[in-house]
């Protein structure tokens, strides 16, 4: 079988999305809907299979970095399969000619189904059959399936040598010094929060070594040096997170607490990048877009998120910065202020994750996603609202809660600040993560392919 060539490292999509009429390829048959965000009446193949990926991430408990890889693999496979037939974009792959009369919508579903099956070990046959039932039998369906499966396999094969085996097997190598990260202890986590198991080691310390999807080199997106523990700046940030992030804070407002819970997106949920996938679907649903255009938009978002995940994990394990909770509970920093704040019973509002602090993944995922969506739709200012995508971890805090924004960047800022309000990140984690996430989105967008 002819193999697809190695991707040129150029990201997809460069210009703002142009309007096009919704065609007859839209279908309401297929996977169930996440959080009721996307209406069944406008459930296009792109949204159906985006939803299937979110379901898989939630049901299998996939962590944020592997979730971004799954989104990128599925969305890229679907886009390439559909547009190789439609011919609207200059795809940076060498592909054979698609079969005559192959249906691009069918090819999209078959490609994503194949990518999901191979990337996450999912049995997607029932989902694919349900999807195919919404289309008439014939030559277009049969050829669409065979072409989609071919492209799905080709995209997965292309990424087989991207360092994934190393990323999943690498062990954590602890750095030295009072600010070096320590694995989360058995008593860490939010008071009266979900009963998560204690963490004995870091999550995926090798993930930052993966080959990027779009940018040339993720190390270009490393943050500035973290403040020295003896500096006034560190003391300011220490006082801030101590005051705002404790479980019994008297300075955190009710709205700030709601923000912390709303954006937590912890274990057993769709993950932070998944939360932004839902936001993207909600906003793209309002626009008149063709199949290739819609597929391109989600592929662009997913690859930007995947590169943000690789860059974030590169930062975290290159910098190896301790979590605020460890400083409060361990008393390992020998400065007057740190010693005065030492409290072995200090608790965060939300659970501390099992990896170093600097930079914040939430901040990078949020700013990357918001910036990319803004570039796709051509503006940052847009009125939208949303409910929390999963109520498993915080049902009493989030049931019935719906938040509203007037700008994508406003929602991203909330997502970043949520980690400070929750007590699990330093201010620098957030501000540097937000800055770098925007830079990644800009670079992915700049390196986009053009219309044919």
């Amino acid at each position: 079988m002819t193999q697809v060539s190695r991707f040129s490292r150029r990201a997809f999509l460069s210009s703002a999305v142009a309007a096009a009429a919704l065609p007859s390829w839209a279908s309401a048959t297929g996977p169930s809907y996440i959080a009721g965000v996307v209406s069944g009446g406008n459930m296009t193949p792109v949204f159906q299979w985006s939803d299937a990926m979110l379901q898989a991430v939630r049901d299998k408990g996939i962590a944020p970095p592997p979730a971004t890889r799954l989104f990128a693999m599925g969305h890229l496979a679907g886009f390439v399969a559909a547009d190789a037939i439609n011919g609207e974009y200059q795809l940076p792959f060498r592909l054979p000619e698609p079969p005559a009369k192959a249906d691009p919508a069918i090819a999209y579903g078959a490609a994503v189904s194949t990518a999901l099956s191979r990337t996450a070990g999912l049995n997607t046959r029932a989902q694919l059959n349900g999807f195919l039932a919404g289309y008439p039998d014939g030559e277009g369906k049969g050829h669409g399936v065979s072409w989609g499966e071919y492209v799905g396999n080709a995209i997965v094969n292309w990424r087989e040598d991207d360092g994934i085996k190393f990323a999943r097997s690498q062990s954590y190598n602890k750095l030295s010094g009072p600010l070096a990260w320590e694995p989360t202890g058995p008593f860490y986590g939010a008071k009266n929060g979900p009963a998560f198991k204690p963490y004995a080691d870091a999550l995926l310390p090798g993930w930052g070594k993966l080959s990027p999807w779009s940018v040339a080199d993720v190390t270009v997106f490393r943050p500035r040096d973290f403040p020295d523990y003896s500096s006034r700046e560190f003391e300011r940030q220490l006082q801030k997170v101590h005051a705002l992030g404790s479980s019994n804070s008297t300075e955190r407002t009710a709205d700030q607490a709601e923000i912390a819970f709303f954006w937590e997106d912890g274990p057993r949920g769709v993950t932070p990048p998944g939360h932004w996938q839902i936001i993207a679907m909600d906003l793209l649903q309002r626009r008149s877009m063709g199949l290739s255009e819609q597929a391109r938009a989600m592929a662009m978002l997913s690859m930007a998120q995947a590169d943000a995940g690789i860059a974030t994990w590169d930062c975290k394990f290159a910098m190896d910065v301790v979590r605020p909770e460890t400083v409060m509970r361990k008393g390992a920093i020998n400065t007057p202020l740190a010693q005065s704040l030492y409290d072995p019973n200090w608790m965060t509002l939300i659970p501390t994750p099992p990896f170093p602090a600097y930079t914040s993944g939430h901040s990078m995922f949020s700013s990357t996603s918001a910036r990319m969506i803004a570039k796709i739709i051509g503006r940052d200012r847009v009125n939208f609202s949303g409910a929390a995508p999963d109520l498993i971890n915080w049902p009493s805090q989030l049931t019935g809660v719906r938040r509203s924004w007037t700008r994508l960047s406003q929602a991203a800022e909330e997502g970043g600040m949520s980690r400070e309000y929750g007590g699990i990140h330093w201010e620098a984690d957030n501000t540097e993560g937000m800055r770098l996430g925007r830079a990644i989105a800009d670079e992915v967008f700049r390196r986009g392919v053009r219309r044919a």
Side-chain angles (χ1 to χ4, degrees):
M1 179 178 289
T2 304
Q3 293 296 311
V4 73
S5 68
R6 185 162 182 81
F7 187 45
S8 67
R9 299 296 176 204
R10 299 180 62 203
F12 287 81
L13 308 154
S14 56
S15 59
V17 175
L22 267 176
S24 60
W25 46 263
S27 169
T29 305
S32 58
Y33 315 136
I34 285 277
V37 173
V38 180
S39 68
N42 199 13
M43 204 64 173
T44 69
V46 177
F47 291 157
Q48 286 179 260
W49 288 99
S50 297
D51 186 89
M53 285 186 268
L54 290 165
Q55 296 279 9
V57 165
R58 183 177 64 183
D59 295 346
K60 291 181 71 69
I62 299 174
T68 65
R69 190 173 191 270
L70 181 64
F71 297 148
M73 199 82 79
H75 280 133
L76 178 58
F79 169 50
V80 171
D83 194 64
I85 298 169
N86 288 337
E88 296 180 22
Y89 297 97
Q90 299 175 18
L91 299 178
F93 290 100
R94 289 195 302 271
L95 293 167
E97 284 293 319
K101 299 181 181 180
D103 188 316
I106 296 294
Y108 185 94
V112 179
S113 172
T114 301
L116 284 175
S117 176
R118 289 193 56 192
T119 304
L122 301 173
N123 183 353
T124 58
R125 178 53 57 183
Q127 287 177 312
L128 181 59
N129 288 340
F131 171 76
L132 294 175
Y135 297 86
D137 292 335
E139 191 176 14
K141 178 185 281 190
H143 288 174
V145 170
S146 62
W147 174 248
E149 289 176 344
Y150 168 80
V151 173
N153 280 311
I155 295 298
V156 174
N157 291 342
W158 162 64
R159 289 294 298 187
E160 278 188 330
D161 64 346
D162 64 357
I164 187 63
K165 293 179 181 178
F166 173 85
R168 287 174 170 159
S169 63
Q170 183 73 359
S171 298
Y172 167 60
N173 295 315
K174 182 178 175 62
L175 300 184
S176 60
L179 283 181
W181 179 79
E182 295 185 25
T184 308
F187 301 107
Y188 286 31
K191 187 177 182 180
N192 300 322
F196 298 127
K197 294 180 180 180
Y199 299 109
D201 203 356
L203 175 69
L204 296 169
W207 199 265
K209 304 302 182 184
L210 275 177
S211 298
W213 290 77
S214 304
V215 303
D217 181 4
V218 296
T219 63
V220 172
F221 302 97
R222 283 187 178 174
R224 303 178 179 99
D225 289 342
F226 190 78
D228 186 273
Y229 74 91
S230 62
S231 68
R232 290 184 178 180
E233 175 59 20
F234 177 77
E235 290 194 341
R236 184 188 67 81
Q237 295 191 28
L238 178 61
Q239 287 178 308
K240 181 182 181 183
V241 72
H242 181 271
L244 277 181
S246 68
S247 62
N248 59 357
S249 171
T250 58
E251 295 191 23
R252 183 182 53 240
T253 67
D255 187 62
Q256 289 170 338
E258 183 179 284
I259 288 171
F261 293 127
F262 185 89
W263 293 100
E264 198 256 341
D265 296 319
R268 301 173 293 177
V270 296
T271 73
H275 194 156
W276 280 97
Q277 293 268 328
I278 292 171
I279 291 172
M281 287 195 287
D282 180 36
L283 294 177
L284 294 178
Q285 184 187 33
R286 308 177 190 183
R287 303 180 66 81
S288 186
M289 302 170 73
L291 173 61
S292 285
E293 195 171 29
Q294 198 177 80
R296 187 179 77 152
M298 293 304 291
M300 180 178 180
L301 171 64
S302 291
M303 288 192 294
Q305 288 181 335
D307 280 352
I310 296 168
T312 300
W313 257 247
D314 171 71
C315 294
K316 285 180 179 296
F317 290 95
M319 305 298 178
D320 199 45
V321 173
V322 71
R323 292 281 178 167
E325 186 163 5
T326 306
V327 174
M328 310 298 182
R329 296 173 65 100
K330 289 268 190 173
I333 294 181
N334 190 23
T335 65
L337 177 63
Q339 290 299 307
S340 71
L341 298 179
Y342 166 65
D343 179 0
N345 297 313
W346 192 86
M347 287 280 192
T348 59
L349 181 67
I350 60 177
T352 299
F355 37 82
Y358 196 50
T359 57
S360 164
H362 269 60
S363 302
M364 289 188 77
F365 287 133
S366 293
S367 59
T368 297
S369 301
R371 184 76 145 221
M372 187 58 67
I373 296 168
K375 286 182 174 293
I376 289 168
I377 68 175
R379 65 183 188 277
D380 176 61
R381 186 171 293 278
V382 58
N383 295 319
F384 66 107
S385 64
D390 294 286
L391 301 179
I392 297 172
N393 295 328
W394 310 107
S396 63
Q397 293 90 346
L398 293 177
T399 297
V401 169
R402 192 171 186 88
R403 297 194 64 82
S404 299
W405 309 276
T406 58
R407 290 175 291 109
L408 283 155
S409 56
Q410 178 192 13
E413 288 159 7
E414 267 197 16
M417 282 301 301
S418 72
R419 311 307 269 173
E420 293 188 61
Y421 299 150
I424 65 173
H425 269 295
W426 309 100
E427 181 182 302
D429 303 343
N430 176 32
T431 55
E432 281 296 281
M434 294 291 290
R435 180 180 70 84
L436 295 171
R438 291 189 293 268
I440 288 171
D442 288 346
E443 180 67 5
V444 171
F445 195 77
R446 184 185 69 80
R447 295 164 66 89
V449 297
R450 309 300 182 193
R451 282 190 175 272

